[in-house]
């Protein structure tokens, strides 16, 4: 059991409608009754269509809302089907996932992600930057090289580093029910923190979350790894029961 602040971030992906408010409501009620808000931070990154609605309906602000991506352009512009960071902030988001592998897979580059981070920070959103290697990169032992490249090209020293959280999500682990061995995971989290401190010449280590197939059954595996500052949870965050069980079991 740890007293260090831990993040439990849900990534709903393309899921949910107005009736899904009941999920947030259940999580929020559980949080208010049973959890210590000084130790635990719950953030749900939901589709853009739901942010404003959920924000209005939530009675307490124990849970924060986030978005899952944005256009890189800071102002209004001719970008059909897109929304910018400022619009998301105005809808009620305080966080934003950027660089998710599902978006990298359809062409999002480190360079573009960096511009998106700049824009999100300007709009006063806290960024959850996803990094992680593919299976092919893992097999060819390129994990550290890939992570270093993603860190150094998506983040820069001039950005407000205190508003960037890193989520390490091995691409091969997302939605696959496969997770790393404990020693390997520890080594990678250390490496990310080390590389970040070195690159940006800061004394403050970044917060590093783990994401990829986290569920109520395997969460206990992560409890002893104190280096992990929290979790980015996809599929299992779409159910209040599972999400609550993840938090409960983590501290069991
Ligand atoms: P998963 O997704 O928990 O369903 O593996 C994690 C993510 O994509 O952020």
């Amino acid at each position: 059991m740890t007293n260090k602040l831990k993040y439990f971030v849900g990534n709903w992906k393309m899921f949910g409608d107005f009736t899904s408010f009941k999920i947030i409501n259940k999580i929020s009620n559980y949080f208010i009754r049973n959890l210590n808000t000084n130790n635990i931070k719950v953030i749900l990154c939901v589709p853009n269509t739901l942010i404003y609605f959920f924000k209005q309906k939530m009675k307490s602000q124990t849970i924060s809302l986030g978005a899952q991506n944005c256009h890189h352009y800071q102002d209004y512009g001719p970008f059909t089907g897109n929304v910018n960071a400022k619009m998301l902030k105005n809808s009620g988001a305080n966080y934003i996932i950027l660089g998710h592998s599902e978006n990298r897979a359809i062409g999002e580059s480190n360079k573009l992600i960096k511009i998106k981070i700049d824009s999100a920070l300007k709009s006063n959103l806290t960024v959850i930057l996803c990094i992680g290697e593919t299976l092919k990169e893992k097999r060819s032992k390129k994990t550290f090289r890939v992570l270093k490249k993603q860190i150094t090209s998506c983040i820069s020293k001039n950005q407000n580093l205190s508003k960037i959280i890193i989520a390490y999500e091995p691409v091969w682990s997302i939605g696959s029910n496969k997770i790393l061995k404990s020693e390997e995971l520890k080594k990678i989290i250390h490496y990310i923190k080390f590389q970040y401190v070195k690159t940006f010449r800061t004394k403050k280590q970044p917060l590093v979350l783990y994401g990829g197939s986290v569920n109520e059954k395997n969460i206990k595996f992560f409890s002893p790894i104190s280096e992990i500052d929290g979790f980015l949870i996809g599929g299992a965050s779409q159910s209040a029961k599972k999400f609550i069980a993840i938090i409960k079991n983590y501290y069991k």
Side-chain angles (χ1 to χ4, degrees), residues 11 13 100 102 130 169 173-176 211-214 232-236:
N11 172 13
K13 311 194 182 197
H100 193 282
E102 284 153 14
C130 298
E169 296 205 306
S173 175
I174 295 174
S176 66
S213 293
V214 173
L232 182 54
I233 304 153

Side-chain angles (χ1 to χ4, degrees), residues 7-24:
Y7 286 73
F8 292 85
V9 184
N11 172 13
W12 275 16
K13 311 194 182 197
M14 195 162 71
F15 161 84
D17 57 24
F18 292 149
T19 65
S20 315
F21 180 70
K22 60 178 185 290
I23 301 174
I24 292 217

Side-chain angles (χ1 to χ4, degrees), residues 152-163:
T152 54
S153 14
C154 294
I155 305 175
S156 82
K157 202 175 157 41
N158 317 330
Q159 287 166 337
N160 182 355
L161 297 181
S162 66
K163 285 185 74 86

